[in-house]
C-alpha cells in the first residue's frame, strides 16, 4: 500500500458548554460531551461527531474506545457498507459512519447528497427547545422564544397540563410539539394528551416508557404521537404501527446516516410521519442529519442553538431557519 492510500483513524472527546442548562425528565446538564471520529486518507479528512447517550448505557469513554478499536479495520479498507455489520447501532458507529461519508464525498469531489443520489437539503425551520421547569419558569423562557415559529416543549409528568397551558399562553402563535421523554404513565396518559390537544399541540413525543407503551394502541389519540426511545432503526418500525403516528430518527440511535436514510425510506413506506431529531451537540452532529430533512415533517436540529459556543464553520442559523452545511464543515 502506498502512502497516498494509507488510511488512519483518530478519535477524541470534545466538550461544549451549554448556555444555561438543559433539563428533561431524566435530569439536567450544563455541557454537551461529544466524541469525534476522523478518518484520513491521501491528505483528505472525513469527520463525524456523536453524542453517547446514558439512556442506552453509553459513556464518552466507552464510545471513544469502541471507535479506536476500529483502527485496524479502517486501515484495512472498511467502508460504510461493511461498517453496518462490523459495529452495532449507536453513537460510536454514527461518528464513524459520518466520517466515512464525509471522506467519500471529499474524495469524489461531490456533495454527500449528490454522491448518494438524494435530494439536496434546503433551509428548514427547526424546533427550538424549552427545557423542563415550573410552569412559571417555562412561560418566562417561552416568552423570550415566542417569535420562533416552532417550539419543542419538554414535559415531565406531574403538573404537565399546567406547564403546557402556561407555554401556550406565552406563545399564542407558535406551533407547539411536546416531548415527555417517557415520563407519563398509563394513568395520566389520556388526561395529558387531552391537555395538549386543548392547547393546540401538534405532536406529542414518547409519552410512555419504551417497552411499556401498549396503551397507545388501545386509546383514541386526539393528536399525533411520535416514537423516540421506542424506535431505533428499521427493525423496530413495524411493531409500532398501531401505537404511533410518527417516528423520531436520530443518527445517534440509528448508528449513522447510512441507516438513518434507509430508515426514513422504510418509515414513509409504512405510513409514519418523520421527525429528524438530535442530541445537544455541535453543528458537526447536525450536518449529516440535514440529508434527512427533505423527508421530514418536523425538523428538530437546534442543538447548536442551545450551546454557549459552536465549532468553527458551524451551520448557519437565521432565527429558526437552519441551512445545509458548507463543505468546510461536512459532506
Amino acid at each position: 500500500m502506498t502512502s497516498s492510500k494509507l488510511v488512519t483513524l483518530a478519535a477524541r472527546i470534545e466538550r461544549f458548554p451549554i448556555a444555561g442548562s438543559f433539563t428533561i425528565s431524566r435530569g439536567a446538564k450544563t455541557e454537551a460531551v461529544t466524541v469525534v471520529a476522523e478518518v484520513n486518507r491521501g491528505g483528505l479528512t472525513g469527520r463525524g461527531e456523536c453524542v453517547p447517550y446514558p439512556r442506552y448505557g453509553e459513556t464518552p469513554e466507552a464510545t471513544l474506545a469502541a471507535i479506536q478499536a476500529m483502527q485496524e479495520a479502517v486501515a484495512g479498507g472498511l467502508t460504510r457498507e461493511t461498517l453496518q455489520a462490523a459495529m452495532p447501532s449507536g453513537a460510536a458507529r454514527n461518528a464513524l459512519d459520518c466520517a466515512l461519508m464525509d471522506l467519500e464525498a471529499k474524495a469524489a469531489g461531490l456533495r454527500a447528497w449528490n454522491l448518494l443520489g438524494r435530494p439536496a437539503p434546503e433551509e428548514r425551520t427547526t424546533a427550538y427547545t424549552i427545557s423542563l421547569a415550573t410552569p412559571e419558569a417555562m412561560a418566562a423562557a417561552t416568552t423570550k422564544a415566542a417569535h420562533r415559529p416552532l417550539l419543542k416543549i419538554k414535559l415531565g409528568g406531574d403538573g404537565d397540563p399546567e406547564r403546557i397551558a402556561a407555554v401556550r399562553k406565552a406563545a399564542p402563535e407558535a406551533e407547539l410539539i411536546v416531548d415527555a421523554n417517557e415520563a407519563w404513565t398509563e394513568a395520566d396518559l389520556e388526561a395529558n394528551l387531552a391537555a395538549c390537544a386543548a392547547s393546540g399541540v401538534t405532536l406529542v413525543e414518547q409519552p410512555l416508557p419504551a417497552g411499556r407503551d401498549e396503551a397507545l394502541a388501545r386509546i383514541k389519540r386526539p393528536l399525533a404521537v411520535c416514537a423516540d426511545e421506542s424506535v431505533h432503526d428499521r427493525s423496530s418500525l413495524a411493531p409500532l404501527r398501531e401505537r404511533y403516528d410518527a417516528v423520531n430518527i436520530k443518527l445517534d440511535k440509528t448508528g449513522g446516516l447510512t441507516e438513518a436514510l434507509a430508515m426514513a425510506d422504510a418509515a414513509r413506506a409504512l405510513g409514519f410521519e418523520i421527525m429528524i431529531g438530535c442530541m445537544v451537540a455541535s453543528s458537526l452532529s447536525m450536518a449529516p442529519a440535514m440529508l434527512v430533512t427533505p423527508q421530514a415533517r418536523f425538523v428538530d436540529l437546534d442543538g447548536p442553538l442551545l450551546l454557549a459556543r459552536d465549532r468553527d464553520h458551524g451551520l448557519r442559523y437565521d432565527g429558526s431557519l437552519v441551512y445545509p452545511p458548507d463543505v468546510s464543515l461536512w459532506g
Side-chain angles (χ1 to χ4, degrees):
M1 180 180 289
T2 65
S3 60
S4 64
K5 293 185 178 181
L6 283 174
V7 186
T8 61
L9 169 64
R12 61 185 178 274
I13 294 172
E14 296 188 349
R15 299 175 185 272
F16 296 86
I18 292 172
S21 67
F22 179 78
T23 304
I24 66 172
S25 63
R26 283 189 287 271
K29 60 181 181 179
T30 58
E31 66 175 1
V33 182
T34 74
V35 182
V36 173
E38 292 185 346
V39 181
N40 305 280
R41 184 183 67 207
L44 299 174
T45 299
R47 299 188 301 166
E49 178 182 274
C50 69
V51 180
Y53 198 9
R55 169 67 175 79
Y56 304 122
E58 296 176 335
T59 66
E61 295 75 17
T63 300
L64 177 66
I67 295 171
Q68 292 172 332
M70 299 301 293
Q71 288 177 334
E72 184 175 344
V74 168
L78 183 77
T79 66
R80 283 187 304 112
E81 291 74 22
T82 56
L83 171 66
Q84 307 310 304
M87 296 183 78
S89 60
R93 194 178 79 186
N94 175 32
L96 189 48
D97 180 82
C98 292
L100 289 168
M101 167 51 66
D102 189 27
L103 180 63
E104 192 176 336
K106 285 182 169 68
L110 297 170
R111 296 312 307 266
W113 47 87
N114 297 132
L115 187 68
L116 295 171
R118 292 277 174 169
E122 299 178 347
E123 68 271 15
R124 290 291 303 273
T125 296
T126 178
Y128 181 82
T129 302
I130 304 297
S131 285
L132 175 66
T134 65
E136 296 76 17
M138 293 181 73
T142 301
T143 297
K144 297 177 183 178
H147 62 286
R148 295 182 180 273
L150 178 61
L151 298 177
K152 179 172 178 174
I153 314 305
K154 291 290 189 177
L155 296 182
D158 290 344
D160 280 349
E162 292 75 20
R163 291 185 180 98
I164 197 61
V167 164
R168 171 50 80 198
K169 185 176 181 181
E173 302 300 324
E175 181 178 9
L176 301 183
I177 57 179
V178 158
D179 187 1
N181 283 115
E182 305 180 279
W184 294 357
T185 68
E186 203 170 320
D188 63 25
L189 173 64
E190 291 186 87
N192 284 338
L193 287 175
C196 289
S199 289
V201 172
T202 303
L203 175 122
V204 173
E205 194 178 339
Q206 198 65 45
L208 298 176
R212 302 201 302 275
D213 53 4
E214 300 88 353
L216 290 168
R218 299 196 297 267
I219 66 170
K220 184 176 181 180
R221 301 188 291 272
L223 70 165
V225 179
C226 178
D228 183 359
E229 286 85 353
S230 288
V231 67
H232 292 260
D233 53 21
R234 281 174 289 175
S235 67
S236 57
L237 286 170
L240 303 180
R241 295 178 69 183
E242 301 303 317
R243 303 175 192 180
Y244 294 96
D245 310 288
V247 293
N248 188 342
I249 298 175
K250 293 178 179 174
L251 272 61
D252 283 313
K253 290 190 302 178
T254 65
L257 177 62
T258 301
E259 175 60 24
L261 290 169
M263 181 180 173
D265 293 341
R268 291 190 67 179
L270 289 171
F272 289 110
E273 286 192 315
I274 292 172
M275 173 188 288
I276 178 64
C278 69
M279 307 296 287
V280 183
S282 87
S283 284
L284 185 56
S285 282
M286 309 302 128
M290 285 296 296
L291 273 72
V292 186
T293 60
Q295 294 176 275
R297 162 66 176 86
F298 298 97
V299 174
D300 180 23
L301 298 177
D302 66 340
L305 295 178
L306 305 176
L307 301 177
R309 60 170 178 84
D310 195 5
R311 66 172 67 249
D312 293 341
H313 309 295
L315 290 179
R316 174 188 168 197
Y317 287 87
D318 181 6
S320 289
L321 286 178
V322 56
Y323 289 78
D326 185 78
V327 70
S328 59
L329 175 67
W330 184 89

